[in-house]
Amino acid sequence: SLVVNAGGAVTQTAATTVVTPTADINAAGFDVTLMETGNDFSTIIHVDGVNVSLNDANNLPLGTINATSLTFGANITSYSLNGNITLSNGSLTFDKSVTMAGNSQLATGSKDVTFQGTVDGGFALTVNSTGTTDFDKAIGAGTALSALTVDAGGVANFDNTIKTTGNITVDGTTINLGGDVTTTGGGK
C-alpha cells in the first residue's frame, strides 16, 4: 500500500502510476491536486483533504473520500466506486460510466449528485443529498445493483431504466421516472 501523510497540500509535477493494493492520501485541512493527464491509479484511492482534484488516463478507482469538494479531470474513461464519498460543500458529477466495486454511500449535503453515464455492478449504492440527484443513463442494465437508495429530500431524476436484485428506496419531494423499474430476488 501507498500511504501519504501530508502536513500541507499534495500536488504533483509529473504523471503518477500507482499499482499497490490501495493508495491513502491523508491531507486533512489541505488541498489534494493530482491532475496530470497521464496518471494511472490502478488501485483504490482513498483521500482526506479539502479541495480534492483527481485525474486518470483510464478508470479512476475511488475508495473513501472525505473533502469539501471533489472534481475530476477530463481524461478519465470510467469510474469504479468502492467506498464512501462525503463532501461538505460540493456537488458531485460522474461524467462517465460508474461500476460499483463495493457498497458505496455518497453524501453531498445540499449539493447535487449527477451520473451522466451508466451505473452497473452487483453492490449497493446510496445517495444522500437534499439537492438534486440525476441519473441520466440506465442503472443496472449491464449488471444489476444489489440495492439502490436515494435519500434526496429534494429532487430525484431517473431518466432511464433501473434494475436491482434488492430494494429500491427513494425518498424525495419530487421523483421523476423516465424508464422501467425492475427488482428481482425479493426486492421492493
Side-chain angles (χ1 to χ4, degrees):
S1 292
L2 170 68
V3 178
V4 176
N5 293 311
V10 176
T11 60
Q12 65 185 140
T13 57
T16 303
T17 299
V18 179
V19 294
T20 63
T22 60
D24 298 317
I25 300 172
N26 304 304
F30 299 98
D31 293 344
V32 175
T33 306
L34 303 174
M35 291 295 286
E36 291 293 323
T37 58
N39 285 346
D40 190 5
F41 298 101
S42 57
T43 183
I44 299 169
I45 183 168
H46 305 282
V47 181
D48 188 0
V50 178
N51 298 306
V52 175
S53 301
L54 302 172
N55 200 6
D56 196 298
N58 299 293
N59 176 68
L60 180 60
L62 296 168
T64 299
I65 310 284
N66 293 302
T68 300
S69 67
L70 176 61
T71 56
F72 301 116
N75 298 87
I76 297 168
T77 60
S78 61
Y79 303 89
S80 58
L81 294 178
N82 190 3
N84 299 332
I85 297 176
T86 303
L87 304 180
S88 61
N89 192 31
S91 297
L92 182 57
T93 299
F94 296 100
D95 61 336
K96 305 286 190 309
S97 65
V98 173
T99 299
M100 302 301 299
N103 295 333
S104 298
Q105 178 176 314
L106 312 177
T108 61
S110 63
K111 302 298 183 177
D112 299 341
V113 178
T114 304
F115 293 88
Q116 295 175 341
T118 58
V119 180
D120 285 300
F123 294 93
L125 173 63
T126 300
V127 180
N128 293 316
S129 169
T130 58
T132 299
T133 301
D134 282 315
F135 291 92
D136 296 341
K137 304 284 183 180
I139 303 167
T143 302
L145 275 61
S146 64
L148 175 65
T149 301
V150 179
D151 186 8
V155 177
N157 296 316
F158 299 93
D159 297 335
N160 211 300
T161 59
I162 306 168
K163 291 184 182 177
T164 69
T165 58
N167 292 337
I168 299 171
T169 305
V170 181
D171 295 318
T173 306
T174 303
I175 300 169
N176 299 307
L177 295 175
D180 295 334
V181 177
T182 306
T183 63
T184 60
K188 308 178 200 183

